Amino acid sequence: MRLLDVALRDLLFMFFGGLAIFLFGIKYMGDGLQKTAGDRLRDVLDKFTSNPIMGVIAGIIVTILLQTSTGTTVLAIGLVNAGFMTLRQSIGVIMGANIGTTVTAFIIGLKISDYALPIIAIGTFLIFFLKNKKANNIGQVFFGFGALFYGLNLMGQGLYPLRELDVFAELTVTMSENPLLGVLIGTIFTVAVQSSSAAIGLLQQLYAQGAMELSAALPVLFGDNIGTTITAVLAALGASLAAKRAALTHVIFNLVGTIIVLIVINPYIAMMQYIQAAWQLNPEMTIAVAHGIFNVSNVIIQLPFVAVLALIVTKLIPGKENVIEYKAQHLDPVLIQQSSSIALGQAKKETLRMAELSEQGLAEASQFVQTKQKRHAELAYQFEDAINNLDRKITDYLVKISANSLSDHDSAIHSTLMGTVRDVERIGDHMENIIELAEYQVANKVKMSPDAMNDLDEMFNLTIETVGQAIKSLENDDIGEARAVVLKEEKIDKMERQLRKEHIIRLNEGRCEPSAGIIFADMISNLERIGDHAVNIAEAVIGEE
């Protein structure tokens, strides 16, 4: 009995340890691929989603590099929120992500697990013995790739005895006779491990060990496809409207595909048995090919109905999404050659829009500090992303204008705009710092006294008001408004010194935690610096006059 207990323990250790190493390998390999590709994945989705077919191709490429369809869906959601991509375009990307995620199953089907340890050794050498960052990233890909196969090996050894169990044999017979049970089991397991790649890898091992027939394995495979959508659903809970719609699209797409294939399940099984024999596929590759055919067919069938799918999810989840426009709206490159003055006027419009985004972002940051509601932090980060994007676009545009011969007046405007863009970008950075401090406060359960929260609210309101007035002074070239900004900034400086003193008193009296004191001091310091950048904008207006 004791020997049986030891054997069972070893098998459980192998299975769960192998599953853990497999999941780590996929994540680590995906991170390495992403670093090797650079931060261009978002650009790929942005540039190559002009129509649903291009969206599918972009979704495939990005999912192969990320090694996670959920990661691609999240990127697509971010681009929809930013106004870079419509819901229809994101549906194409989600469809492509479903095809891209089949690549992992094909990798497993290559049966190179005997070389798992040498591959890990190569990865380790590249990570630890070479100083080159690119080599380190490639090493990470190798290490993750090897870990994936090593984990599969261990899982296989842990699953091997299942073939001898009568209970498991009866279950697989039931799944063959009732495909819906197989779909349910596949869905539940994928939800449990939060990875369709891991669930399909496990299925490949079970089929390879002879623990289940193809007729039982395929319904489980279709269930894995439904299960992977649950991850996106969980991620979308409490998120933006676009996130919820994209998650629902993923669910509907995979549900419809599974319903279609269940209607023709017997011919599908017969086709896969024929392909397995004709192409002499190993068991793992058979599952990979079945997965690939299912997802590609599903995309081909549903791609013409992208508009219908978008309409359905919009009706099911009604409402208007707040879209933050990342893209520059006024920077026409043709104007640079035609008229420097008009081009500068357009650059000024875009700079003002960028500045308004910083003001709105600060309002969201203030709300997050007070309420700790995650949606305010997410919106503030999106405003910061938009500010950084416009910073690059406007600066490039202004640099091109400077290549022309400018009058003294235009030269002064050019200089003001260059400085303003830099100041607004720095306002965005300080806003991000404040959000991170508030997130640290939430994560570490640091409590601030009501007095401290009131002081922060008061300083936030004054700072946002000052930034708004600085924007107005630039927009109208209003020297009176600009001088009012200088006075308000002096008030911010005094407030920062006063609030710091009052907080020290609260700390000494034990009304505030020491860790809260550090967060409070850093927040008011960032607000004071935002005031400095607002006054820089105002002083440029005064100087220009």
Side-chain angles (χ1 to χ4, degrees):
M1 188 67 184
R2 200 161 183 179
L3 280 170
L4 280 171
D5 288 343
V6 171
L8 179 63
R9 185 197 68 190
D10 289 349
L11 290 174
L12 287 172
F13 283 5
M14 277 184 186
F15 172 69
F16 286 110
L19 179 62
I21 293 169
F22 177 86
L23 288 170
F24 171 78
I26 284 202
K27 176 78 170 65
Y28 203 61
M29 181 170 75
D31 289 347
L33 283 165
Q34 193 174 354
K35 287 176 190 170
T36 306
D39 295 323
R40 301 189 185 277
L41 299 179
R42 188 184 177 115
D43 292 341
V44 168
L45 288 181
D46 177 25
K47 289 174 185 172
F48 301 104
T49 54
S50 50
N51 60 62
I53 293 170
M54 290 302 291
V56 169
I57 294 166
I60 294 169
I61 294 165
V62 173
T63 305
I64 290 169
L65 291 173
L66 285 176
Q67 284 296 295
T68 162
S69 56
T70 306
T72 306
T73 306
V74 169
L75 268 178
I77 288 164
L79 288 166
V80 173
N81 272 341
F84 272 113
M85 192 189 288
T86 64
L87 180 64
R88 286 188 191 186
Q89 289 170 325
S90 76
I91 292 170
V93 173
I94 289 165
M95 289 179 175
N98 268 39
I99 296 174
T101 198
T102 64
V103 170
T104 309
F106 280 103
I107 290 169
I108 293 165
L110 292 173
K111 289 281 283 180
I112 53 175
S113 40
D114 291 345
Y115 305 100
L117 291 174
I119 293 169
I120 289 172
I122 292 167
T124 304
F125 174 79
L126 290 170
I127 291 167
F128 289 102
F129 296 100
L130 294 181
K131 300 289 182 188
N132 185 292
K133 195 172 181 182
K134 193 172 182 181
N136 295 160
N137 293 337
I138 294 167
Q140 190 171 332
V141 174
F142 271 92
F143 189 95
F145 191 61
L148 182 156
F149 281 104
Y150 185 64
L152 267 177
N153 260 344
L154 291 177
M155 266 204 295
Q157 290 170 43
L159 292 168
Y160 189 77
L162 281 178
R163 61 186 290 174
E164 309 295 335
L165 293 176
D166 292 339
V167 176
F168 192 78
E170 287 169 16
L171 178 63
T172 57
V173 170
T174 310
M175 284 192 290
S176 299
E177 294 169 353
N178 184 1
L180 283 173
L181 179 63
V183 171
L184 182 64
I185 289 169
T187 303
I188 291 168
F189 186 75
T190 307
V191 171
V193 297
Q194 292 285 290
S195 167
S196 60
S197 296
I200 292 163
L202 170 69
L203 186 66
Q204 286 172 299
Q205 289 299 305
L206 283 168
Y207 183 50
Q209 301 288 2
M212 64 197 314
E213 294 294 320
L214 189 63
S215 55
L218 290 182
V220 176
L221 177 69
F222 307 139
D224 291 338
N225 269 281
I226 294 171
T228 193
T229 66
I230 307 299
T231 312
V233 169
L234 293 173
L237 291 176
S240 64
L241 204 62
K244 287 173 183 166
R245 284 174 179 167
L248 183 60
T249 300
H250 203 186
V251 173
I252 292 171
F253 173 70
N254 279 6
L255 268 176
V256 169
T258 302
I259 290 165
I260 291 168
V261 82
L262 284 176
I263 292 167
V264 293
I265 186 71
N266 290 324
Y268 194 83
I269 291 166
M271 179 187 74
M272 285 313 306
Q273 286 169 337
Y274 171 77
I275 289 172
Q276 183 178 20
W279 295 358
Q280 296 182 330
L281 299 176
N282 64 44
E284 291 93 340
M285 192 59 85
T286 303
I287 297 294
V289 170
H291 192 212
I293 290 172
F294 168 72
N295 278 305
V296 171
S297 304
N298 197 14
V299 169
I300 291 168
I301 291 166
Q302 295 196 55
L303 193 59
F305 303 102
V306 163
V308 177
L309 200 50
L311 184 66
I312 290 168
V313 294
T314 307
K315 292 287 183 188
L316 290 173
I317 306 176
K320 192 174 180 184
E321 185 62 273
N322 290 325
V323 174
I324 300 165
E325 279 287 352
Y326 281 47
K327 287 185 178 178
Q329 295 177 356
H330 305 100
L331 307 180
D332 187 348
V334 176
L335 293 174
I336 296 171
Q337 301 305 321
Q338 290 178 349
S339 168
S340 296
S341 295
I342 295 172
L344 279 170
Q346 294 303 102
K348 183 176 177 179
K349 281 183 185 177
E350 203 61 57
T351 304
L352 287 166
R353 198 171 75 81
M354 178 186 173
E356 282 162 10
L357 291 178
S358 74
E359 189 183 1
Q360 291 166 29
L362 273 173
E364 292 298 333
S366 175
Q367 285 293 308
F368 181 59
V369 169
Q370 292 298 325
T371 66
K372 302 297 185 288
Q373 289 178 359
K374 196 178 174 186
R375 63 191 175 87
H376 292 301
E378 286 173 355
L379 267 173
Y381 280 130
Q382 285 175 28
F383 278 118
E384 162 65 354
D385 279 348
I387 290 163
N388 287 339
N389 183 62
L390 289 176
D391 169 40
R392 290 190 296 272
K393 300 291 184 190
I394 298 168
T395 302
D396 288 348
Y397 194 75
L398 288 170
V399 167
K400 286 173 185 171
I401 292 172
S402 67
N404 297 342
S405 179
L406 300 176
S407 66
D408 290 345
H409 178 66
D410 283 349
S411 188
I413 293 171
H414 184 277
S415 178
T416 298
L417 292 177
M418 284 292 276
T420 301
V421 168
R422 189 168 55 249
D423 280 308
V424 173
E425 193 277 329
R426 293 297 296 139
I427 288 171
D429 290 344
H430 289 301
M431 174 184 80
E432 188 176 24
N433 292 346
I434 292 167
I435 292 288
E436 286 168 358
L437 286 164
E439 285 177 334
Y440 176 86
Q441 185 189 347
V442 172
N444 293 277
K445 295 177 181 173
V446 178
K447 286 187 178 177
M448 279 193 198
S449 67
D451 288 342
M453 295 305 293
N454 288 335
D455 287 346
L456 274 173
D457 193 38
E458 190 184 344
M459 190 165 178
F460 250 116
N461 289 337
L462 180 60
T463 306
I464 293 168
E465 199 180 312
T466 306
V467 170
Q469 202 159 11
I471 295 166
K472 205 176 283 183
S473 73
L474 177 67
E475 185 177 7
N476 302 319
D477 294 322
D478 191 326
I479 204 161
E481 291 274 20
R483 283 182 176 144
V485 170
V486 174
L487 294 173
K488 275 187 178 162
E489 196 276 331
E490 287 171 6
K491 195 175 172 184
I492 290 172
D493 288 348
K494 284 177 188 173
M495 186 181 280
E496 194 239 0
R497 290 193 294 271
Q498 182 63 32
L499 295 187
R500 205 178 282 273
K501 284 175 190 173
E502 287 174 8
H503 202 67
I504 290 167
I505 293 166
R506 281 196 292 270
L507 287 170
N508 291 336
E509 291 174 354
R511 287 189 286 138
C512 238
E513 298 173 16
S515 50
I518 296 164
I519 293 169
F520 181 87
D522 281 352
M523 280 187 179
I524 61 172
S525 175
N526 276 286
L527 288 170
E528 188 272 329
R529 286 174 191 166
I530 289 170
D532 290 343
H533 290 293
V535 90
N536 287 348
I537 296 167
E539 283 177 346
V541 173
I542 294 165
E544 202 180 308
E545 289 296 321

